[in-house]
């Protein structure tokens, strides 16, 4: 495995930690607090970096099944991050996250976990 892929894998694991921290905090607090928004934002940045490194380091087509799942889950997390920051700016973390946004956060996180698992399976399958 080349260096870019190895670094990408390390970074995507850090994104997993950041996303999970944010998800657990949002689930417990049900508010857009900095304790959740900051790890979510860091997770998005790490995920973008990891995805870029894995594309550059891979000898396979970037339009693989895992790639498409990964890109769509990254887009879902970026959208989630934007929506939660907009909610935070509008309500200053005083209001509870509306149920539709809370569900979107759950779905985006679960979809990202599916992409993460698909990546593991893709590596094991080689």
């Amino acid at each position: 495995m080349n260096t870019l892929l190895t670094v990408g894998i390390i970074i995507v694991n850090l994104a997993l930690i950041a996303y999970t921290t944010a998800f657990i905090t949002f689930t417990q607090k049900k508010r857009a607090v900095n304790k959740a928004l900051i790890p979510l934002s860091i997770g998005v940045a790490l995920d973008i970096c990891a995805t870029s490194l894995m594309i550059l380091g891979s000898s396979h087509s970037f339009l693989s099944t895992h790639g498409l799942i990964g890109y769509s889950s990254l887009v879902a997390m970026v959208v989630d991050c934007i929506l939660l920051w907009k909610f935070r700016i509008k309500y200053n973390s005083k209001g509870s996250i509306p149920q539709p946004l809370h569900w979107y956060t759950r779905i985006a996180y679960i979809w990202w976990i599916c992409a993460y698992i698909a990546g593991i399976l893709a590596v094991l399958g080689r």
Side-chain angles (χ1 to χ4, degrees):
M1 190 175 303
N2 71 38
T3 306
L4 289 176
L5 281 177
T6 303
V7 173
I9 290 169
I10 292 167
I11 293 172
V12 83
N13 282 298
L14 295 173
L16 171 66
I17 293 167
Y19 282 152
T20 302
T21 300
F23 178 74
I24 290 169
T25 306
F26 282 128
T27 302
Q28 290 174 345
K29 303 278 186 194
K30 294 184 177 27
R31 297 187 189 287
V33 294
N34 286 342
K35 201 176 202 179
L37 285 168
I38 291 170
L40 177 62
S41 301
I42 291 169
V44 167
L46 290 169
D47 198 8
I48 291 168
C49 182
T51 301
S52 300
L53 287 171
M54 287 188 251
I55 289 169
L56 293 172
S58 179
S59 60
H60 301 290
S61 170
F62 67 93
L63 292 176
S64 65
T65 302
H66 165 60
L68 296 175
I69 294 170
Y71 307 140
S72 64
S73 70
L74 174 57
V75 168
M77 294 307 282
V78 168
V79 169
D80 188 42
C81 189
I82 291 168
L83 291 174
L84 286 164
W85 271 109
K86 283 177 74 173
F87 180 81
R88 161 73 172 173
I89 290 166
K90 186 172 183 179
Y91 296 104
N92 196 21
S93 80
K94 292 186 178 162
S96 293
I97 296 172
Q99 195 64 29
L101 180 53
H102 192 67
W103 274 106
Y104 181 81
T105 298
R106 288 179 182 185
I107 291 166
Y109 176 74
I110 291 167
W111 185 241
W112 192 88
I113 294 296
C114 290
Y116 181 84
I117 292 169
I120 292 170
L121 294 175
V123 169
L124 292 176
R126 291 188 187 146

